[in-house]
Amino acid sequence: MKKVKVGIVGLGRLGRQHAENLAFRIPNCELIAVCSIIEEEAKKAQEEWGVKYAYTNYEEMIKNEELDAVLIASPSGFHCEQIEKALEANLHVFSEKPLGLYLEEAVRVEEAVKKHENKVFMLGFMRRYDKSYAYAKKKVEKGAIGEPVLIRCYGLDPSEAIGGFMNFAKNNYSGGLFLDMAIHDLDLARWYLNSEAKQVWAIGGAYGYPEIGQLHDAETGAALVKFENGTMGVFVAGRNCSHGYHIETEIIGTEGTLRIGTVPERNMVTVFNETGAVKECSEGFLERFEQAYLSEVEEFINCIREERKPDVTVEDGVLSTALGYACKESFETGELVTVQSPHNVARSTT
Amino acid sequence: MKKVKVGIVGLGRLGRQHAENLAFRIPNCELIAVCSIIEEEAKKAQEEWGVKYAYTNYEEMIKNEELDAVLIASPSGFHCEQIEKALEANLHVFSEKPLGLYLEEAVRVEEAVKKHENKVFMLGFMRRYDKSYAYAKKKVEKGAIGEPVLIRCYGLDPSEAIGGFMNFAKNNYSGGLFLDMAIHDLDLARWYLNSEAKQVWAIGGAYGYPEIGQLHDAETGAALVKFENGTMGVFVAGRNCSHGYHIETEIIGTEGTLRIGTVPERNMVTVFNETGAVKECSEGFLERFEQAYLSEVEEFINCIREERKPDVTVEDGVLSTALGYACKESFETGELVTVQSPHNVARSTT
Amino acid sequence: MKKVKVGIVGLGRLGRQHAENLAFRIPNCELIAVCSIIEEEAKKAQEEWGVKYAYTNYEEMIKNEELDAVLIASPSGFHCEQIEKALEANLHVFSEKPLGLYLEEAVRVEEAVKKHENKVFMLGFMRRYDKSYAYAKKKVEKGAIGEPVLIRCYGLDPSEAIGGFMNFAKNNYSGGLFLDMAIHDLDLARWYLNSEAKQVWAIGGAYGYPEIGQLHDAETGAALVKFENGTMGVFVAGRNCSHGYHIETEIIGTEGTLRIGTVPERNMVTVFNETGAVKECSEGFLERFEQAYLSEVEEFINCIREERKPDVTVEDGVLSTALGYACKESFETGELVTVQSPHNVARSTT
Amino acid sequence: MKKVKVGIVGLGRLGRQHAENLAFRIPNCELIAVCSIIEEEAKKAQEEWGVKYAYTNYEEMIKNEELDAVLIASPSGFHCEQIEKALEANLHVFSEKPLGLYLEEAVRVEEAVKKHENKVFMLGFMRRYDKSYAYAKKKVEKGAIGEPVLIRCYGLDPSEAIGGFMNFAKNNYSGGLFLDMAIHDLDLARWYLNSEAKQVWAIGGAYGYPEIGQLHDAETGAALVKFENGTMGVFVAGRNCSHGYHIETEIIGTEGTLRIGTVPERNMVTVFNETGAVKECSEGFLERFEQAYLSEVEEFINCIREERKPDVTVEDGVLSTALGYACKESFETGELVTVQSPHNVARSTT
């Protein structure tokens, strides 16, 4: 089969990483179009990577008949609309998480994806493609820990990134700590526990950065979730991790336990000095998940070529978003919240 | 000052450990009496350690005028009564946790302790005397992690001990998972966070051992606690830990994080074999907290000799018990529970 | 600049890995020819990866005028001759280690490389391109450990691979433990210590596999090396590592120490089960050095395109081989051996 | 049996630790005499611990007829003479390592010990009584790693202690790096490998502290030892370890490997901060081997009471010293040295 021709929209840090992967590191695909509302960014990318087309207008790009697929790495607020338009334009779609910032639009996208069922749709829950996470999943499936009982997920952004986040959040709706940061973990929990969330209680505060509290958001928060099959989920999310980007997951089972990333070590070097024995930590998501960001898009391309669907489905996006919303509601009201079926919610609020 | 003369009641596994510490490893004290309702046990201990007096009746023992202090290591149901009687007999008292199995009796003991304020009373929250826990406390106090934000505590008994527990629990009231297992962690949380619990949601189940469910107890459970100062507590307790006795505590602060016992390694040996690089784990509390059990009683003896009070107070016992009860209530009702002042509770239910 | 057109000779495990990297994962190059004396192997590779030319004869391949470069992944005994021929054919050359099995031929290749100084020659000391090793090198250069004092290197092949090695070694000259296994470590030592070896004492035996002794080789061995600048090197090499492929390096400096790969963990997962807390280990070189094998060839391609020379030079190959020979001689004679300048040796033995 | 009455000579840091253990932490013994040439030191100890007798003269102390045993913790130069005198006075003897600073005197002591075979003699190779080392020994004996092949020992004193050492070494004969620091490791190697050393090559230098070189000693050194049974020993000793007191031992066997103290962690706390994930390290021998120093003397007391001999024999002292001397000779001459039978050496040099 011929190479898959891809266009990308959004050329921020992650967008550029995806673009370089498409251009240079993934066999069987070709990056033929880049799109950014910042013209300079698009031009620069075009030249740097020798890309055929550059756009500042997304609608223009998806009209390009050479395209087979688009990769959406624009700000979260644009995801839903761009996914829908791409599907309408008969393109395969890879979208960065989250599916949407509002549950209603997530449900609407779900319908659009179902309507275009001959198209590959994939959501960027890259952690499932991280070697360690994928390995742990296989271990669980092979029964290495018996039946899963409890999952504990830490998703902590480095303190160093908090300035950037504040600048963004003052002028944009980020979704809040649980939807923005914890969404990956909520998906992982559903994946490892094989069950949907039933009830949640979430708390948190703005401990070191009171200005986050002024945005009615939490700097650090915790949620306890009861799943339908009786299993448990403990989630800690935060934006103020002094040692770096700390993504850790633990699955306790009836016959064993798995931990992924107990220490978010950046490599295999240990430094011994006056401080002690030091493992330096990952600085951010691009460093920690470099391989996963590459592998997920490889899988997207392979799915297109092999006419199959990826394991991450649009439902995963919708249901994780629904759980994220329940966390957010619980945090905001202080109450124990029963997770609603997203389809009912969407219907009732429409 | 002359040596402190101590009598011990209860000669189970932990009782014997305490007795040997008193007899041989703690300076400035003398074990002069042992008491067990099992006559043989008392006789054997008397001979083995060369103890002056052996009793099968606690009331008899505390009449012995040579005694300065008693150490209570009897089953939990006897603690309150024995503490009160010892105080009445004008003895210093060290009692194993829990203070009591019912909040009312804990409050009653609190009053008794306050009445005999010239006597040293100490509760066996030995973890505070474990070198690693004590070191972490000092680190926190020196500001090494800024302000504490969240504590995570794991208290998991080894699967191997579950048979013994079931035998006990079928015929006795253990207090349930949160009061019996998590009580140490609840105390640690109050200690490190410097705050009292406000609200709790606790869930759990009998995942690998359904027979525990028939006792209306949880085999493994989790609780999320909001503290009065806005900080958070995450507690996981269980009786089915395949790798051994897993006691782990993490304190996340605004400027750093401390972890104690991430891997419950039994010693400094790593074994490399076909399995990989293996750290063997502690098998039980006596192995893990050998030093702490010794140090806490040394502190008790020193307090008596130096006429000062230990840091662990009877209030710590009452308030930790109150939190344990709130966890239990939440687990049993499925509701979010507001932690009541134990004094009000005791009053209203009397 | 146009893409670099590469041919590969040798399609064993590592050869195939290199070929796939060239074909799919490295930008700016094109795998246009494969060569294996096993016709089937060459055909299969050609079809599988869509390669333009397939050869069973190396001399034929290098006559292909479209070629810019060759990658040599044939058995060690062919390296020298194939390098020389490729250079004569005016091609850039990447050769797997070792440079040669005999010091004389290594020196001869060195001369050939110098004669064709407009060609890029690179030797596959891939560890220098492993992220952790490269990070450690930068740390050392920035003074993180003061001045290096001692390097300790472990290079241990998994027990599981010993059957395959025995089959090979019975019919082929492997070079022996120190030249075949330790050569990477000898190069690393020279790299981190910035000095050449002066004296060596090497010992060893065939502890678990006496049949290796019958080949006059060591199954496990150790060498202590004194370097010209007074620093020290400790090398342990072996073919019988039960826990997997153990590559570990430590650099002790006057102000700190670095360790790379203390536990040869295969990923970030820790398994807790009845055994304890288990880090599973890398099974072999392709798993451990996947990234390094890719990065080194990327660097080779970039050097060609940017008309510069790689940091690994032919002298590195010659001098590491000289040290390997000294280890081998010491092991065989039981004597302390002074490392000779390879050029003198080559001259005197010719 | 009545309590063993002990006198101690030497009240430096380690002497005081031993004295406190004897006085307070070891059952079945009584510290009845202290001796130090510094009168004040002896007086202070007497008062502090309530000891019956205080001496400034060793000969006076051992005349005391109440004594059953002496513990010798005086400077190394006095050990031999004091051991001999104590045995002549019919006392059981525990002596700190080393047996002696000269091989001849070590051999002489050996004869004295053999002559008084009804007396318990024990040498302070405390590591054998450290829980982790003892556990590893049992593992080896049970075949957990097959047959031992190679032992690697690190014995590194903290940089912080180097000032104190220099002050001492300028005016005293320390024995040099290999006899003074590595002696514990040389004993451990003989213990784990069950064999005696045959040949050694030792090198080293004064890398960060050239003034040590002026004493004709090494600040950091390495030795490679071939044992009679064909096994290997790698020893790294040093006085300039920036991260603390690093004692690490590894035993590689035909079927597995054990490591003891890979990271010389001071406790079970991990600190996460801007630096990374930090394990703080032991500051010195009293911190690292607190338990071992206690256990070895407990064993000494138990041997006396139970009329048996400890596992550490005077031969262990003599043979480890002989190996230490061979290391020293090799370091000083630069030659490969064959380890002589200490008895022959002693004879020929007398």
Side-chain angles (χ1 to χ4, degrees):
Chain A
M1 186 203 159
K2 67 177 176 48
K3 293 199 169 189
V4 178
K5 289 177 176 161
V6 188
I8 189 168
V9 59
L11 292 167
R13 276 179 72 201
L14 180 52
R16 285 183 59 86
Q17 178 83 8
H18 279 309
E20 288 186 16
N21 284 343
L22 286 165
F24 304 119
R25 297 185 196 99
I26 300 176
N28 302 320
C29 79
E30 209 175 327
L31 179 69
I32 66 158
V34 291
C35 175
S36 167
I37 49 168
I38 304 161
E39 188 170 359
E40 216 174 294
E41 223 172 61
K43 287 274 178 214
K44 197 181 145 223
Q46 182 178 31
E47 278 167 38
E48 198 175 342
W49 304 319
V51 179
K52 207 163 167 189
Y53 305 103
Y55 298 90
T56 55
N57 181 303
Y58 178 73
E59 282 75 18
E60 288 302 312
M61 179 170 80
I62 59 176
K63 276 186 204 156
N64 186 327
E65 302 244 320
E66 292 178 43
L67 279 182
D68 299 309
V70 289
L71 190 155
I72 298 171
S74 52
S76 307
F78 295 98
H79 292 181
C80 283
E81 195 191 331
Q82 292 180 341
I83 294 168
E84 290 174 297
K85 285 182 176 165
L87 289 168
E88 288 301 326
N90 215 25
L91 296 168
H92 303 287
V93 181
F94 179 100
S95 172
E96 258 312 310
K97 66 94 202 168
L99 194 53
L101 285 176
Y102 301 94
L103 198 45
E104 297 78 2
E105 55 177 16
V107 171
R108 221 176 55 219
V109 166
E110 187 182 15
E111 280 160 21
V113 170
K114 285 184 180 159
K115 216 173 83 185
H116 299 87
E117 62 175 337
N118 63 330
K119 293 286 120 185
V120 172
F121 173 79
M122 187 168 175
L123 193 63
F125 283 150
M126 81 292 180
R127 289 202 207 157
R128 297 196 187 190
Y129 297 90
D130 172 72
K131 280 187 184 178
S132 297
Y133 279 95
Y135 189 81
K137 178 68 173 173
K138 270 188 202 141
K139 281 258 173 201
V140 172
E141 283 173 351
K142 281 181 189 161
I145 60 164
E147 291 299 317
V149 165
L150 181 147
I151 192 168
R152 170 176 63 90
C153 300
Y154 277 22
L156 306 173
D157 253 357
S159 308
E160 288 195 357
I162 212 161
F165 169 74
M166 286 306 295
N167 284 342
F168 173 80
K170 272 171 197 155
N171 304 305
N172 296 273
Y173 169 53
S174 74
L177 184 69
F178 293 101
L179 264 175
D180 185 36
M181 275 299 295
I183 192 80
H184 285 293
D185 288 319
L186 302 176
D187 174 61
L188 286 181
R190 298 174 49 258
W191 192 46
Y192 284 114
L193 297 178
N194 264 322
S195 186
E196 298 304 330
K198 196 171 163 186
Q199 276 184 298
V200 60
W201 189 45
I203 56 180
Y207 304 92
Y209 291 84
E211 49 285 35
I212 294 186
Q214 288 157 19
L215 302 171
H216 306 289
D217 197 0
E219 165 225 287
T220 307
L224 178 62
V225 177
K226 188 174 183 171
F227 283 80
E228 283 174 1
N229 63 1
T231 58
M232 304 175 276
V234 169
F235 302 88
V236 176
R239 303 195 184 277
N240 181 23
C241 182
S242 14
H243 58 277
Y245 178 64
H246 190 120
I247 303 301
E248 176 180 357
T249 304
E250 174 174 14
I251 308 135
I252 298 180
T254 50
E255 294 168 27
T257 288
L258 295 179
R259 282 191 181 177
I260 308 143
T262 304
V263 169
E265 53 193 27
R266 70 180 343 169
N267 55 34
M268 294 179 85
V269 178
T270 309
V271 183
F272 292 77
N273 57 27
E274 319 75 48
T275 317
V278 184
K279 293 291 306 185
E280 297 181 4
C281 296
S282 283
E283 283 180 356
F285 59 95
L286 288 183
E287 180 179 9
R288 170 64 184 88
F289 289 112
E290 183 182 348
Q291 167 266 319
Y293 282 120
L294 178 59
S295 297
E296 64 171 1
V297 181
E298 277 185 338
E299 170 66 2
F300 174 63
I301 298 298
N302 288 339
C303 282
I304 295 171
R305 289 169 55 93
E306 299 162 15
E307 298 186 4
R308 53 181 180 78
K309 294 291 170 79
D311 287 340
V312 188
T313 66
V314 71
E315 284 83 4
D316 289 318
V318 173
L319 292 165
S320 299
T321 304
L323 176 49
Y325 256 93
C327 292
K328 183 175 150 74
E329 187 190 335
S330 178
F331 165 67
E332 286 170 359
T333 63
E335 299 298 326
L336 188 62
V337 166
T338 298
V339 186
Q340 305 283 329
S341 157
H343 307 95
N344 298 344
V345 172
R347 217 164 292 140
S348 71
T349 56
T350 309
Chain B
M1 187 202 158
K2 66 177 178 48
K3 293 196 168 188
V4 177
K5 288 175 179 165
V6 189
I8 188 168
V9 59
L11 292 169
R13 277 179 72 202
L14 181 51
R16 285 182 59 86
Q17 178 84 8
H18 279 310
E20 288 186 15
N21 285 343
L22 286 165
F24 304 121
R25 296 186 197 99
I26 300 176
N28 301 321
C29 79
E30 209 175 326
L31 179 68
I32 65 159
V34 290
C35 175
S36 168
I37 49 169
I38 304 161
E39 188 171 359
E40 215 174 295
E41 224 173 58
K43 286 274 177 214
K44 197 180 145 222
Q46 182 179 29
E47 279 166 37
E48 199 175 342
W49 304 321
V51 179
K52 207 162 166 188
Y53 305 103
Y55 299 89
T56 54
N57 181 303
Y58 178 71
E59 282 75 17
E60 287 302 313
M61 179 170 79
I62 58 176
K63 278 185 205 155
N64 185 328
E65 301 246 319
E66 292 178 44
L67 280 181
D68 298 310
V70 289
L71 191 155
I72 297 170
S74 52
S76 307
F78 295 98
H79 291 182
C80 283
E81 196 191 329
Q82 292 180 342
I83 295 169
E84 289 173 297
K85 285 182 176 165
L87 289 169
E88 287 302 326
N90 216 28
L91 295 167
H92 303 288
V93 181
F94 180 100
S95 172
E96 258 311 310
K97 68 94 200 167
L99 193 54
L101 285 175
Y102 301 94
L103 198 44
E104 295 78 2
E105 54 178 16
V107 172
R108 222 175 53 219
V109 166
E110 187 182 15
E111 280 160 23
V113 169
K114 283 184 179 159
K115 217 174 82 185
H116 298 86
E117 63 176 337
N118 63 331
K119 294 286 120 185
V120 172
F121 173 80
M122 187 167 174
L123 193 64
F125 282 152
M126 81 292 179
R127 288 201 208 157
R128 296 197 187 189
Y129 297 90
D130 172 72
K131 281 189 184 175
S132 297
Y133 279 95
Y135 189 82
K137 178 67 174 174
K138 270 189 202 139
K139 282 259 175 203
V140 172
E141 283 172 351
K142 281 183 190 160
I145 60 164
E147 292 299 316
V149 165
L150 181 146
I151 191 168
R152 170 175 64 89
C153 299
Y154 277 22
L156 306 173
D157 253 357
S159 308
E160 289 195 356
I162 212 161
F165 170 73
M166 287 306 295
N167 285 343
F168 173 81
K170 273 172 196 153
N171 304 304
N172 296 273
Y173 169 53
S174 75
L177 184 68
F178 293 101
L179 264 176
D180 185 37
M181 274 300 294
I183 192 81
H184 285 294
D185 288 320
L186 302 175
D187 174 61
L188 286 180
R190 298 174 49 258
W191 191 47
Y192 283 114
L193 298 178
N194 263 321
S195 186
E196 298 303 329
K198 196 171 164 185
Q199 276 183 299
V200 59
W201 189 46
I203 57 179
Y207 305 92
Y209 291 85
E211 40 304 22
I212 295 185
Q214 288 157 20
L215 302 171
H216 306 289
D217 198 0
E219 165 223 288
T220 306
L224 178 61
V225 177
K226 187 174 184 170
F227 284 80
E228 283 175 1
N229 63 1
T231 59
M232 304 175 275
V234 169
F235 302 89
V236 176
R239 303 196 183 277
N240 181 24
C241 181
S242 16
H243 57 279
Y245 178 65
H246 190 119
I247 303 301
E248 176 179 357
T249 303
E250 174 173 14
I251 309 136
I252 299 180
T254 50
E255 293 168 26
T257 287
L258 295 180
R259 283 192 181 176
I260 307 143
T262 303
V263 169
E265 53 193 25
R266 67 178 348 167
N267 54 35
M268 295 178 84
V269 178
T270 308
V271 182
F272 292 77
N273 56 28
E274 320 74 49
T275 317
V278 184
K279 291 293 303 182
E280 298 181 4
C281 296
S282 283
E283 284 181 356
F285 58 96
L286 288 183
E287 181 178 9
R288 170 64 183 88
F289 289 112
E290 183 182 347
Q291 169 267 318
Y293 282 119
L294 179 59
S295 297
E296 64 171 359
V297 181
E298 277 184 338
E299 171 66 0
F300 174 61
I301 298 298
N302 288 338
C303 282
I304 295 172
R305 288 169 54 92
E306 299 162 15
E307 297 186 3
R308 51 181 181 79
K309 294 291 171 77
D311 287 341
V312 187
T313 67
V314 70
E315 284 83 5
D316 289 319
V318 173
L319 291 166
S320 299
T321 304
L323 176 49
Y325 256 93
C327 291
K328 184 175 150 75
E329 187 190 335
S330 178
F331 165 67
E332 287 170 358
T333 63
E335 298 298 327
L336 188 60
V337 166
T338 297
V339 185
Q340 305 283 329
S341 157
H343 307 95
N344 299 343
V345 172
R347 219 163 293 144
S348 70
T349 56
T350 310
Chain C
M1 185 201 161
K2 66 177 178 48
K3 293 198 170 190
V4 177
K5 289 177 176 161
V6 188
I8 189 170
V9 59
L11 291 168
R13 279 179 71 202
L14 180 52
R16 284 184 58 87
Q17 178 82 8
H18 279 310
E20 288 186 17
N21 285 342
L22 286 165
F24 303 121
R25 297 186 196 100
I26 299 176
N28 302 320
C29 79
E30 208 176 328
L31 180 67
I32 66 158
V34 290
C35 176
S36 167
I37 48 168
I38 305 162
E39 188 170 359
E40 217 174 294
E41 223 172 60
K43 287 274 177 213
K44 196 180 145 224
Q46 181 179 31
E47 279 167 37
E48 199 176 340
W49 304 320
V51 179
K52 207 163 166 187
Y53 306 102
Y55 299 89
T56 54
N57 182 301
Y58 178 72
E59 281 75 17
E60 287 303 311
M61 178 171 81
I62 59 177
K63 277 186 203 153
N64 186 327
E65 302 244 320
E66 292 179 45
L67 280 181
D68 297 309
V70 288
L71 190 156
I72 298 170
S74 52
S76 306
F78 296 98
H79 292 181
C80 283
E81 195 191 331
Q82 291 180 343
I83 295 168
E84 289 174 298
K85 285 180 175 167
L87 289 169
E88 288 301 325
N90 216 27
L91 296 167
H92 303 288
V93 181
F94 179 100
S95 172
E96 259 311 311
K97 67 95 202 168
L99 193 55
L101 285 176
Y102 301 94
L103 197 46
E104 295 78 1
E105 56 179 15
V107 172
R108 220 176 54 216
V109 166
E110 187 182 14
E111 280 160 23
V113 169
K114 284 185 180 159
K115 216 173 84 185
H116 299 87
E117 63 175 334
N118 63 329
K119 293 286 120 185
V120 171
F121 173 79
M122 187 167 174
L123 192 63
F125 283 150
M126 83 290 181
R127 289 202 207 157
R128 296 195 186 191
Y129 296 90
D130 172 70
K131 280 187 184 179
S132 297
Y133 279 95
Y135 189 80
K137 177 68 173 174
K138 269 188 203 143
K139 281 260 174 201
V140 172
E141 283 172 351
K142 281 181 191 162
I145 59 164
E147 291 299 317
V149 165
L150 180 147
I151 192 168
R152 169 175 64 89
C153 299
Y154 278 23
L156 306 174
D157 253 356
S159 308
E160 289 194 356
I162 212 162
F165 169 73
M166 286 306 295
N167 285 342
F168 172 81
K170 272 173 198 155
N171 304 304
N172 295 273
Y173 170 53
S174 74
L177 183 68
F178 294 100
L179 264 176
D180 185 36
M181 274 299 293
I183 192 80
H184 285 294
D185 288 319
L186 302 176
D187 175 61
L188 286 180
R190 298 174 49 257
W191 192 46
Y192 284 113
L193 298 178
N194 264 321
S195 185
E196 298 304 330
K198 197 171 162 185
Q199 276 183 299
V200 58
W201 189 46
I203 56 180
Y207 304 92
Y209 292 85
E211 44 297 26
I212 295 187
Q214 289 157 19
L215 302 172
H216 306 291
D217 197 359
E219 165 224 287
T220 306
L224 178 61
V225 176
K226 187 174 184 171
F227 284 79
E228 282 175 1
N229 63 1
T231 59
M232 303 175 276
V234 169
F235 302 88
V236 177
R239 303 196 184 277
N240 181 24
C241 182
S242 15
H243 58 278
Y245 178 63
H246 190 119
I247 304 300
E248 176 179 357
T249 304
E250 175 174 13
I251 309 136
I252 299 180
T254 51
E255 292 167 28
T257 287
L258 296 179
R259 282 191 183 176
I260 308 142
T262 303
V263 170
E265 54 193 26
R266 69 179 347 167
N267 55 34
M268 294 178 85
V269 178
T270 308
V271 182
F272 292 76
N273 57 28
E274 319 76 48
T275 318
V278 184
K279 293 292 305 184
E280 298 181 4
C281 295
S282 283
E283 284 181 354
F285 58 96
L286 288 182
E287 181 179 9
R288 169 64 184 89
F289 289 111
E290 183 181 348
Q291 168 267 318
Y293 282 119
L294 179 59
S295 298
E296 64 170 0
V297 180
E298 277 184 339
E299 171 66 3
F300 174 63
I301 299 298
N302 289 338
C303 282
I304 295 171
R305 288 170 55 92
E306 298 162 16
E307 298 185 3
R308 52 180 180 80
K309 294 292 171 80
D311 286 340
V312 188
T313 66
V314 69
E315 283 83 4
D316 288 319
V318 173
L319 291 166
S320 299
T321 303
L323 175 49
Y325 256 94
C327 291
K328 183 175 150 75
E329 187 190 334
S330 178
F331 165 67
E332 288 170 356
T333 62
E335 300 297 326
L336 188 61
V337 166
T338 297
V339 185
Q340 305 284 329
S341 157
H343 307 95
N344 298 345
V345 172
R347 218 163 294 141
S348 71
T349 56
T350 311
Chain D
M1 187 203 157
K2 65 177 179 47
K3 293 198 168 188
V4 177
K5 288 178 178 161
V6 189
I8 189 169
V9 59
L11 292 168
R13 279 179 71 200
L14 180 51
R16 285 183 59 87
Q17 178 84 6
H18 278 310
E20 288 185 17
N21 285 343
L22 286 165
F24 303 121
R25 296 186 197 100
I26 299 176
N28 301 321
C29 78
E30 209 176 326
L31 180 67
I32 65 159
V34 291
C35 176
S36 167
I37 49 169
I38 305 161
E39 188 171 359
E40 217 175 293
E41 224 173 60
K43 288 274 177 212
K44 198 181 144 220
Q46 183 179 30
E47 278 166 39
E48 199 175 341
W49 304 320
V51 178
K52 207 162 165 187
Y53 307 101
Y55 299 90
T56 54
N57 181 302
Y58 178 71
E59 282 76 18
E60 286 304 312
M61 178 170 81
I62 58 177
K63 277 185 204 153
N64 185 326
E65 300 245 320
E66 292 178 43
L67 280 180
D68 297 310
V70 290
L71 191 156
I72 297 171
S74 52
S76 307
F78 295 98
H79 292 181
C80 283
E81 195 191 331
Q82 292 180 341
I83 294 169
E84 289 174 296
K85 285 182 176 165
L87 290 169
E88 288 301 327
N90 216 27
L91 295 167
H92 302 289
V93 181
F94 180 100
S95 172
E96 258 312 310
K97 67 95 201 167
L99 193 55
L101 285 175
Y102 301 94
L103 198 45
E104 295 79 1
E105 55 179 16
V107 171
R108 221 175 53 218
V109 166
E110 188 181 15
E111 280 161 21
V113 169
K114 284 186 178 156
K115 216 173 83 185
H116 298 86
E117 64 176 335
N118 63 329
K119 293 286 119 185
V120 172
F121 173 79
M122 188 166 173
L123 192 65
F125 282 151
M126 81 291 179
R127 288 201 208 158
R128 296 196 188 191
Y129 296 90
D130 172 71
K131 281 188 184 176
S132 297
Y133 278 96
Y135 188 81
K137 178 68 175 176
K138 270 188 203 141
K139 282 260 175 201
V140 172
E141 283 172 351
K142 282 182 190 160
I145 60 165
E147 292 298 318
V149 165
L150 180 147
I151 192 168
R152 169 174 64 90
C153 299
Y154 277 23
L156 306 173
D157 253 357
S159 308
E160 288 195 356
I162 212 161
F165 169 74
M166 287 306 295
N167 285 342
F168 173 80
K170 273 172 196 154
N171 304 303
N172 296 272
Y173 170 52
S174 74
L177 184 68
F178 294 101
L179 265 176
D180 185 37
M181 276 299 295
I183 192 80
H184 285 294
D185 288 320
L186 302 177
D187 174 62
L188 286 181
R190 296 175 49 258
W191 191 47
Y192 284 113
L193 298 178
N194 263 323
S195 185
E196 298 303 328
K198 195 170 163 185
Q199 277 183 299
V200 58
W201 189 46
I203 56 180
Y207 305 92
Y209 291 85
E211 48 289 34
I212 295 186
Q214 288 156 21
L215 302 171
H216 306 290
D217 198 0
E219 165 223 287
T220 306
L224 178 62
V225 176
K226 186 174 183 170
F227 283 80
E228 282 175 2
N229 64 1
T231 59
M232 304 175 275
V234 170
F235 302 89
V236 176
R239 304 196 183 278
N240 180 24
C241 181
S242 15
H243 58 278
Y245 178 64
H246 190 119
I247 304 301
E248 176 180 356
T249 304
E250 175 174 13
I251 309 137
I252 299 180
T254 50
E255 293 168 27
T257 287
L258 295 179
R259 282 191 182 176
I260 307 143
T262 303
V263 170
E265 53 194 25
R266 68 178 347 165
N267 55 34
M268 293 178 84
V269 178
T270 308
V271 182
F272 292 77
N273 57 28
E274 320 76 48
T275 317
V278 184
K279 292 292 304 182
E280 297 182 3
C281 295
S282 283
E283 284 182 354
F285 58 96
L286 289 182
E287 181 178 9
R288 170 62 185 89
F289 289 111
E290 184 182 346
Q291 169 266 318
Y293 282 119
L294 179 58
S295 298
E296 63 171 359
V297 180
E298 277 185 338
E299 170 66 0
F300 173 62
I301 298 298
N302 288 338
C303 282
I304 295 172
R305 289 170 54 92
E306 299 162 14
E307 297 186 2
R308 52 180 182 79
K309 295 291 171 78
D311 286 342
V312 188
T313 66
V314 69
E315 284 82 4
D316 289 320
V318 173
L319 291 165
S320 299
T321 304
L323 176 49
Y325 256 94
C327 292
K328 185 175 149 74
E329 186 190 334
S330 178
F331 165 67
E332 286 170 359
T333 62
E335 299 298 326
L336 188 62
V337 166
T338 297
V339 185
Q340 305 283 329
S341 158
H343 308 96
N344 299 344
V345 173
R347 218 164 292 142
S348 71
T349 56
T350 311

